[in-house]
Amino acid sequence: MTWRASVLTLFPGMFPGPLGQSLAGRALETSVWSLDAINIRDFAHDRHRTVDDTPFGGGAGMVLRPDIVDAAVASVDDSRPIICLTPRGRRFSQDDARRFAAGPGLILLCGRYEGIDQRVIDARQMQEISIGDYVLSGGELAALVLLDATVRLLPGVMGAADSAVEESFSHGLLEYPHYTRPAEWQGRAVPEVLLSGHHAAVAAWRQAEAERITRERRPDLWAEAASRQHAASAAS
Ligand code: SAH
């Protein structure tokens, strides 16, 4: 079964964009997933194809009209979750990507200008999602980020079946560092243990590095991982 993404946007030419390349691009060609970009402007009903208007209450910028956005949503609506990309949303995470990949697909609504009339977001029970604490000029790049992280988890997209199991965030830790040939480069040697052929020692070194890097760089993740460990050992 093909995992289906429908993106509602004023700039359909931005899709598939980078998702037409590499792993996601090949998976698109082989119908592991599908992507249709729907132009919100096609649902405008006046001669000028107007999609936005000035905000009630005053202030700068323009707001996408609820009736136009709703008509665009209605054209694709089925059982799939509807995501509204917005800096006000819950922060997107690896857990979301896993959950979305396990479902039938997504409908993604990209805002522009000041944003979207809140009533259509509420009426269609959209999930409001942000990709981080900064403001983009539109939701399209956010949709591409969310889709990239999700699509690579679909069965058959990544090369090695288990390459998603070990990576950053999968166990609540950042990943250990990687090394390849040459074994010495510009006077820098690869950590000795990785050349030892001793699998248990390699695994122990990688685990220790993952813990060290998480502790140093992301004390927030480290605290979460530690409390999960606590709960697990208390339960057993
Ligand atoms: N006035 C809004 C920002 C509008 S930016 C505010 O202050 O919250 C225009 C559009 O870009 C938004 O409607 C949203 O769809 C998208 N966007 C901007 N930053 C984003 C982010 N961090 N995550 C997801 N979408 C974002």
Side-chain angles (χ1 to χ4, degrees):
M1 260 274 284
T2 300
W3 191 93
R4 292 172 52 229
S6 299
V7 182
L8 310 174
T9 169
L10 289 170
F11 299 95
M14 290 192 178
F15 296 88
L19 298 183
Q21 308 275 317
S22 191
L23 293 180
R26 207 162 326 126
L28 202 49
E29 271 167 27
T30 56
S31 299
V32 174
W33 70 297
S34 72
L35 174 61
D36 52 316
I38 290 118
N39 193 342
I40 296 170
R41 203 169 291 284
D42 291 344
F43 299 87
H45 32 60
D46 66 328
R47 204 159 52 82
H48 302 289
R49 304 222 295 160
T50 309
V51 294
D52 55 0
D53 211 326
T54 54
F56 282 125
M62 299 295 275
V63 176
L64 295 181
R65 289 170 52 119
D67 52 343
I68 313 290
V69 170
D70 189 63
V73 172
S75 77
V76 292
D77 197 15
D78 47 29
S79 61
R80 290 173 291 168
I82 310 175
I83 307 297
C84 175
L85 284 317
T86 163
R88 276 202 305 274
R90 186 167 54 76
R91 178 92 61 89
F92 181 61
S93 72
Q94 188 67 19
D95 282 342
D96 294 317
R98 258 193 296 266
R99 190 161 43 82
F100 294 153
L106 291 175
I107 296 165
L108 298 146
L109 172 61
C110 303
R112 277 273 156 181
Y113 321 121
E114 283 310 307
I116 299 157
D117 188 302
Q118 187 64 34
R119 291 169 295 176
V120 67
I121 297 172
D122 296 341
R124 289 280 179 181
Q125 299 184 352
M126 299 184 193
Q127 300 178 37
E128 297 183 64
I129 291 192
S130 164
I131 64 159
D133 290 345
Y134 37 78
V135 180
L136 303 167
S137 46
E140 289 77 10
L141 283 171
L144 288 167
V145 166
L146 187 151
L147 284 173
D148 182 275
T150 301
V151 162
R152 66 194 285 281
L153 300 180
L154 297 174
V157 174
M158 265 187 284
D162 60 351
S163 56
V165 175
E166 284 205 5
E167 63 193 5
S168 290
F169 307 115
S170 289
H171 302 303
L173 297 178
L174 300 178
E175 203 183 42
Y176 51 82
H178 302 285
Y179 300 91
T180 185
R181 274 174 281 277
E184 189 175 319
W185 174 74
Q186 294 192 350
R188 296 165 186 267
V190 166
E192 195 66 43
V193 60
L194 299 179
L195 308 174
S196 68
H198 190 320
H199 294 300
V202 169
W205 179 87
R206 286 180 168 167
Q207 178 68 24
E209 281 294 283
E211 291 177 6
R212 177 184 65 78
I213 288 168
T214 306
R215 215 163 42 232
E216 286 175 10
R217 300 185 184 178
R218 292 292 302 276
D220 57 323
L221 285 182
W222 179 247
E224 264 176 55
S227 68
R228 248 199 318 277
Q229 279 258 287
H230 232 80
S233 57
S236 68

